[in-house]
Amino acid sequence: MQQADLPQRVAVGNKTVTVQCRLGNGAFGVVYKVKDEASYEDYALKDVLCLNVSAIRNAVREATTLKKISHPNVIAVIGADKFQDSKGLHMLLLTEYCSGGSLNDRLARPSSEDINMKWISQTAAALAHLHSRGVVHRDLKADNVLLTETEDVKLADFGLAREYTALKRIDVKQDEGSWLTSYTQYYMNSRVGPVHWVAPEFFAGRYSEKADVFSLGIRCFSRS
């Protein structure tokens, strides 16, 4: 995906933020550290340059998924917006900022057994909440586990997440044109995700929320 740099100053909903620095790349966009001009509070801003219908659908899906999830170990969405420039349509997703960086970066330094257990239990709690809301993350890797200043987990980057409908809910009618209309089966057959962390059934194209549990187990084992 091509990606243009953001203007120094952008509006997201009722907030105007100033770009501080570029933090890195997510599954479907570039992430910046920004500061709210009114409150001086720091946030993270994902900029997704949508060059086609599929990219727009992915960006809208992530914003929709995140806005309905509320859990202390899942990244909080502050707002979403879009703007057009010569490069195309930009989808903007404003979230809380995690000053501890990613778990992948943190694992390069020593950690105690207690802190390891905290990361594991908090990630498991976040996954349990997602699954209770019918959401499969599908991209559970250390890069997508963010840490706060106190090293608490915030599960992030739902660019590859899919909302699935269990067999008992297949008869639930979806709104016409909703992206959910194409996900009315318990198992999903698309094949995306972190290849080294995925469950075996992933390669057969038939998997459920259990694939997230497998990925969590692999991450725990690799740390032990």
Side-chain angles (χ1 to χ4, degrees), residues 16-20 33-43:
T16 299
V17 298
T18 302
V19 175
Q20 303 294 299
K33 179 182 177 182
V34 298
K35 187 179 290 293
D36 180 20
E37 291 186 351
S39 67
Y40 299 102
E41 186 170 351
D42 290 329
Y43 295 104

Side-chain angles (χ1 to χ4, degrees), residues 107-121:
L107 291 178
R109 308 194 308 274
S111 59
S112 67
E113 185 172 328
D114 286 344
I115 194 69
N116 290 342
M117 287 303 300
K118 180 174 85 164
W119 292 336
I120 292 170
S121 62

Side-chain angles (χ1 to χ4, degrees), residues 45-121:
L45 180 67
K46 175 180 279 191
D47 172 28
V48 183
L49 179 58
C50 302
L51 301 181
N52 52 53
V53 173
S54 176
I56 295 173
R57 185 169 60 248
N58 286 336
V60 171
R61 179 173 58 238
E62 179 171 6
T64 302
T65 298
L66 279 171
K67 283 181 107 174
K68 64 183 180 181
I69 299 298
S70 178
H71 188 273
N73 299 121
V74 176
I75 200 81
V77 173
I78 310 303
D81 215 324
K82 59 187 177 181
F83 76 93
Q84 184 90 29
D85 65 9
S86 60
K87 299 293 185 179
L89 177 65
H90 295 252
M91 298 291 295
L92 303 176
L93 186 65
L94 189 68
T95 70
E96 62 181 314
Y97 171 66
C98 295
S99 60
S102 76
L103 180 60
N104 191 45
D105 293 334
R106 176 62 180 84
L107 291 178
R109 308 194 308 274
S111 59
S112 67
E113 185 172 328
D114 286 344
I115 194 69
N116 290 342
M117 287 303 300
K118 180 174 85 164
W119 292 336
I120 292 170
S121 62

Side-chain angles (χ1 to χ4, degrees), residues 2-36:
Q2 299 176 8
Q3 184 71 43
D5 289 333
L6 274 179
Q8 186 66 26
R9 188 170 178 263
V10 293
V12 184
N14 60 0
K15 293 184 181 295
T16 299
V17 298
T18 302
V19 175
Q20 303 294 299
C21 63
R22 183 168 172 157
L23 295 174
N25 298 334
F28 291 105
V30 178
V31 182
Y32 298 87
K33 179 182 177 182
V34 298
K35 187 179 290 293
D36 180 20

Side-chain angles (χ1 to χ4, degrees), residues 61-184:
R61 179 173 58 238
E62 179 171 6
T64 302
T65 298
L66 279 171
K67 283 181 107 174
K68 64 183 180 181
I69 299 298
S70 178
H71 188 273
N73 299 121
V74 176
I75 200 81
V77 173
I78 310 303
D81 215 324
K82 59 187 177 181
F83 76 93
Q84 184 90 29
D85 65 9
S86 60
K87 299 293 185 179
L89 177 65
H90 295 252
M91 298 291 295
L92 303 176
L93 186 65
L94 189 68
T95 70
E96 62 181 314
Y97 171 66
C98 295
S99 60
S102 76
L103 180 60
N104 191 45
D105 293 334
R106 176 62 180 84
L107 291 178
R109 308 194 308 274
S111 59
S112 67
E113 185 172 328
D114 286 344
I115 194 69
N116 290 342
M117 287 303 300
K118 180 174 85 164
W119 292 336
I120 292 170
S121 62
Q122 289 183 347
T123 305
L127 281 181
H129 181 71
L130 293 183
H131 296 165
S132 73
R133 299 297 303 273
V135 174
V136 182
H137 188 281
R138 297 205 312 161
D139 197 20
L140 184 62
K141 55 186 178 183
D143 281 325
N144 291 338
V145 178
L146 303 182
L147 299 175
T148 66
E149 184 178 3
T150 56
E151 297 199 324
D152 288 306
V153 161
K154 294 285 185 176
L155 193 56
D157 206 334
F158 287 70
L160 297 181
R162 293 292 187 273
E163 181 165 337
Y164 66 93
T165 304
L167 289 173
K168 64 181 181 180
R169 295 179 55 206
I170 283 182
D171 58 344
V172 176
K173 187 180 186 304
Q174 302 294 340
D175 293 338
E176 185 66 23
S178 168
W179 64 268
L180 281 174
T181 57
S182 60
Y183 297 101
T184 57

